[in-house]
Amino acid sequence: MPGCGSCLRRIRLHFALAALLASPFAAPAAQSGTSTLVLTVRDRDSGEALAGALVVVGDSSATRGMTSTSGRWEGTLPPGRYRVRIRMVGYAGYDGHVVVETGGSTLEVSLAPALVPLDAVVVTAARREQRLADAVVETRVLSGREMARNGAADVASALVEQGGVQLDGGVPTGTGVQLRGYDSRRVLVLVDGQPLVGRVNGNLDLSRLPIAAVERIEIVRGPQSTLYGSDALGGVINVVTRARGPSRPIIGITVGTQGRREATAEWGWSRGGLSLAGYGGGRWIDLVPGLAGDPATYARRGDGMARARWEVRGTALALSTLGVGERQRYRIGQLYQFSDNVQGSVRLSATRRVGLARLSASYGLSSFDHLSRRSTLAIPASDSGAMDRQRLQMLEVTWNGVVGRVLVDGGASLRQERIAAERLSRHRLSLVTAEPFVQVTLQRGPLSVVPGARFSYSERWGRFASPRLAFLFRPAERWAVRGALGRGFRAPDFKELYLAFVNQAAGYAVIGNPELRPERSHSLSLGAEYAGERLYVRLTGFSTRYRDFIETTEPDPNGTYSYANVARGRSAGLELEVGAALGGLRLDGGGELLRSRDAMTGTPLLGRPLHSGRLAATARLPGGMRGRVAFLYAGRTPLARSGNEVARWRGGFPRLDLQLNRELSGGMSLGVHASNVLDRRMGEAWPGYTGRQLALQLRWQIGAGAPDDR
C-alpha cells in the first residue's frame, strides 16, 4: 500500500516518544569516573526559575529528575555527550545535547511559554502516554503548579475557571461539574486513572480533592464510553497526582476571609529507579458548597497523598494513594446538619515494555463513607445518623503495540461495586461488570482515523456496546481538525435501582426501579484549532441526542415516587477557546453557547446556562511580581419548569478574580488572592455562590537558596 512505510514510521515515532518519557532509566555506560552536570531552567520571557520541570538526560539509557524551586537540577554522569530533553506543562519542550567534561559541566535552558503545550504527555485520551498534539479527541491539560499559583485550593475551584466547565450541585451534594450540558452524574471523574466513588444524590464533590496533591488535570470532552464505560457521557476528568515530589520539602500556609485556613506540606525523594512523593494538609473554611450560611457553617478537611514508583530493566511498579477526611456542618431552620465523609483511593500497577509494546495490569480500590446526621445541638450524638458505604474494586489489563501496520490499544476490565446503606430495599448490594475494549489507529500522512468499541456486561442491567469513530487531520504542524462520532451510556446506580426511602412526616416515599435500562446518547463533534507560539484558537461544534435518561416519576395516589427511563431530547452548542501571548502579557478566554431541549416538554434542560464566557490576563509587573485578572460569566439558567414552560430562572452570574504573586529570597513565595471581587450574591443554593473571598498564601521550600541549590 502506498505510504505504508511512512505510516509505520510515524506510528513508531509517536509510540516511541511515549515510551521514551516513561521507560525505566539506568546510569549510562561509560568511561571510568563520573562528573557533575548542573542544569538551570528558566522562563524565556521573564527569566523566572522554573521549578518542577522534568529533565531527562541520555537516550537508550538515561537518568531523570525534577528541577528545584531555583530551577536547578544536578546529576552525576560519566564524561561524554548526552541528549537532554526538558518537559513542563505550559511550556514548549527542549531537545538538545550537552557534553559532560571531566571536571563537570553546566547548561542553562530557557523554555518558551506555550499557550497549548503540544509536547505535554497525556494519558486520558487514548489510555496510554501520547503527546497532546497527537490526541485524536479534544483534550485540555491544566498544570497543578499554575492552578495553585492562581489561588485554587481544590479541584472544583480550579475547574470553574475553565471554558466549557460549569458548576453543578449544592447542599448537601457538594460541588460537581457539567460538561457540554451533561450534569455531574454523567461526567466520569478519575484519580490516576481510577474511577472515584463518593456520589451523594448522584453528585461527586470535587472540592474534597486538594490541588496541592495534583500534578495536572486532563479534561476530555464528549462521550468517552468506548474507553471508560459508564458515566462518561459528557466527558472524563482525570486528576493525576504528583508522581515526583520536590527535591526539598515545601510548606504552604494560607489564611483568608470566611475562616479560610490551610496548611500543606510536600516532599519527595528519589534514588536510582526508585522515587517517592508525599503530601499532607488540612483545610478549614466557614462555607459548604452552595451555602455561605452563618457562624454555624463550616467545612473541615484533612487530606494526604503518597506515590511510589520503582523502575528496572523494562518493568515499572507504581503505587498511588489518596485519602480525605471531612466534616461539614450547616443549619437549616433550627436543626444543625452534619456530613462526615471519608474518601480513599488506592491504585497498584505493573507495566512491562518489550520493544514498542507495553503490557500493563492494575488493581484499584476506591472507597467512600458518608454519615449524615442532624441535631438541635452544635455537636451530633455519636450513635445517630444514616451511614452510606460505597466501594469500587477494579482489575484491568491493557496492551498497547503495533500489529502489522496499525497501532492497537486494547484491554479488559473487571469491576465490582458494593454499597451498604440503610435506605436501600436490600441494605447490602454488589454489582459486577466485565468490559473488554479495543481501538486501532490507522494513519496515512497527516490523517489519523481511530475506530474503537467497548462491550459492557452487567449481571443486573444487561449488555451494552459503545462504538466510536474519531479522526485527527493535521495538514501542518500548527493546524489540526478533530472529529468524533460515538455512542455513550450511563448505567443506573444502586439508589435508582433499589432505593426505599419513606418520609412519614412529609407523607411521601421514593422507591427504586430494578427494571431500569442504561441511559443512551449519540454524539457528533467537529472542531478546528490553530496552536502557534503566540496565538491559539480552537472552535468546536457538538450535537448530542439522548434517550432513556433516568428521572423521577410523578407520584402515585399514595404519594410514592419512583424512577423510569423517560427523558429524551437533544443538546447542541459551540465552544470557543482563544489565547494570545504579547511579550510578558498572556491572554486567554473563550465562551460556550448551549441549546438543549427536553423532547417531552420542549423546554431547556434545567440547571444548564444558555451561554457562558471567561477572559483572563496574566502579566509580569514591576518588582518581580506577577498579576492575574480573570472575569467569568455564567448566563441565565433555567431552574424549574411547570408543564411546558420554564417557571423559574437564575440570573446571570458575573465573577471577577484577582491574583498577585511574588517570588521572595530563600525559596519563599507570596500570593494575594481575591475571588468574586464584585461580591455577587444569589438567593439560590449553588456552588458558585460564595460571596467575596480574600486570601494570603505563603510557600517556602526549605533549604532552597542554599549553596548547593543556586
Side-chain angles (χ1 to χ4, degrees), residues 18 24 114 192 196 272 324 414 489 497 514 560 573 584 659 673 685:
D192 294 327
L196 199 66
V324 180
L414 182 66
F489 78 101
L497 291 168
T560 300
Q659 290 95 33
H673 312 285

Side-chain angles (χ1 to χ4, degrees), residues 138 164-165 178-182 221-223 234 523-525 540-542 544 571-572 575 592 594 608:
E138 185 179 312
V165 180
Q178 299 176 8
L179 292 179
R180 290 189 173 173
Y182 285 99
R221 299 187 181 98
S523 180
L524 172 67
S525 66
T540 304
F542 59 90
T544 302
S571 292
E575 294 174 345
E592 180 184 56
L594 178 67
R608 281 78 167 173

Side-chain angles (χ1 to χ4, degrees), residues 36 47 89 153 261 278 312 433 441 602 625 668 677:
T36 300
V89 174
R261 291 161 290 157
V312 59
T433 306
T441 301
M625 293 187 294
M668 302 185 73
V677 174

Side-chain angles (χ1 to χ4, degrees), residues 306-592:
R307 288 191 66 166
R309 183 179 178 88
W310 181 52
E311 307 176 37
V312 59
R313 298 185 180 278
T315 300
L317 301 177
L319 172 67
S320 64
T321 64
L322 177 68
V324 180
E326 172 188 59
R327 166 166 287 186
Q328 295 182 353
R329 186 183 74 181
Y330 54 96
R331 191 158 53 191
I332 298 180
Q334 299 301 313
L335 289 178
Y336 290 93
Q337 312 287 327
F338 300 89
S339 292
D340 293 339
N341 303 311
V342 179
Q343 181 93 57
S345 177
V346 178
R347 186 173 188 268
L348 176 64
S349 64
T351 303
R352 175 67 178 173
R353 295 181 183 275
V354 179
L356 295 179
R358 184 187 73 128
L359 177 66
S360 179
S362 66
Y363 167 78
L365 171 63
S366 179
S367 65
F368 180 69
D369 293 344
H370 171 67
L371 177 60
S372 176
R373 295 182 284 183
R374 60 181 61 184
S375 173
T376 57
L377 302 176
I379 300 176
S382 60
D383 59 348
S384 65
M387 175 65 78
D388 185 337
R389 301 181 186 273
Q390 304 175 30
R391 301 290 186 271
L392 169 63
Q393 297 185 87
M394 187 167 75
L395 180 63
E396 187 170 65
V397 177
T398 60
W399 184 86
N400 315 98
V402 177
V403 177
R405 296 179 176 179
V406 300
L407 177 60
V408 179
D409 306 300
S413 64
L414 182 66
R415 52 189 286 169
Q416 180 194 46
E417 298 174 74
R418 292 180 293 146
I419 190 171
E422 298 174 6
R423 293 180 176 179
L424 298 179
S425 57
R426 285 181 278 176
H427 295 334
R428 296 180 181 272
L429 290 164
S430 177
L431 175 65
V432 176
T433 306
E435 298 178 300
F437 62 91
V438 65
Q439 72 172 15
V440 298
T441 301
L442 309 172
Q443 187 166 0
R444 183 174 184 123
L447 177 65
S448 297
V449 179
V450 184
R454 173 183 287 257
F455 180 78
S456 303
Y457 170 75
S458 167
E459 58 186 346
R460 295 194 183 273
W461 50 259
R463 303 174 176 86
F464 199 89
S466 306
R468 184 183 70 184
L469 178 65
F471 77 89
L472 167 64
F473 178 62
R474 191 172 285 281
E477 180 183 359
R478 301 189 182 278
W479 289 90
V481 178
R482 290 180 173 87
L485 174 65
R487 188 186 192 204
F489 78 101
R490 184 184 77 91
D493 62 32
F494 282 114
K495 294 182 180 179
E496 291 166 339
L497 291 168
Y498 300 110
L499 184 66
F501 172 68
V502 179
N503 189 329
Q504 294 180 344
Y508 74 92
V510 184
I511 305 299
N513 179 3
E515 304 302 319
L516 290 173
R517 304 181 304 277
E519 302 176 344
R520 294 179 286 168
S521 74
H522 293 82
S523 180
L524 172 67
S525 66
L526 181 64
E529 71 177 29
Y530 171 79
E533 185 175 316
R534 297 293 182 181
L535 177 65
Y536 170 73
V537 180
R538 173 189 280 171
L539 179 64
T540 304
F542 59 90
S543 177
T544 302
R545 293 185 180 274
Y546 62 88
R547 62 180 304 172
D548 290 336
F549 267 26
I550 299 169
E551 288 196 348
T552 305
T553 62
E554 295 295 326
D556 64 16
N558 297 320
T560 300
Y561 296 82
S562 188
Y563 299 96
N565 297 99
V566 294
R568 65 180 187 275
R570 179 176 180 177
S571 292
L574 285 173
E575 294 174 345
L576 173 66
E577 294 181 62
V578 296
L582 307 171
L585 176 66
R586 173 169 171 164
L587 303 172
D588 62 272
E592 180 184 56

Side-chain angles (χ1 to χ4, degrees), residues 139-213:
T139 305
R140 185 172 179 85
V141 182
L142 311 178
S143 162
R145 172 178 178 269
E146 192 70 14
M147 289 184 288
R149 175 187 274 181
N150 292 339
D154 53 65
V155 170
S157 60
L159 291 176
V160 70
E161 291 197 6
Q162 304 308 310
V165 180
Q166 301 298 328
L167 294 180
D168 191 24
V171 177
T173 61
T175 306
V177 296
Q178 299 176 8
L179 292 179
R180 290 189 173 173
Y182 285 99
D183 60 24
S184 178
R185 289 182 297 167
R186 298 165 177 105
V187 176
L188 180 63
V189 177
L190 311 173
V191 173
D192 294 327
Q194 165 75 17
L196 199 66
V197 297
R199 296 182 183 272
V200 177
N201 295 337
N203 193 69
L204 185 62
D205 185 5
L206 296 181
S207 69
R208 285 198 295 265
L209 303 180
I211 277 295

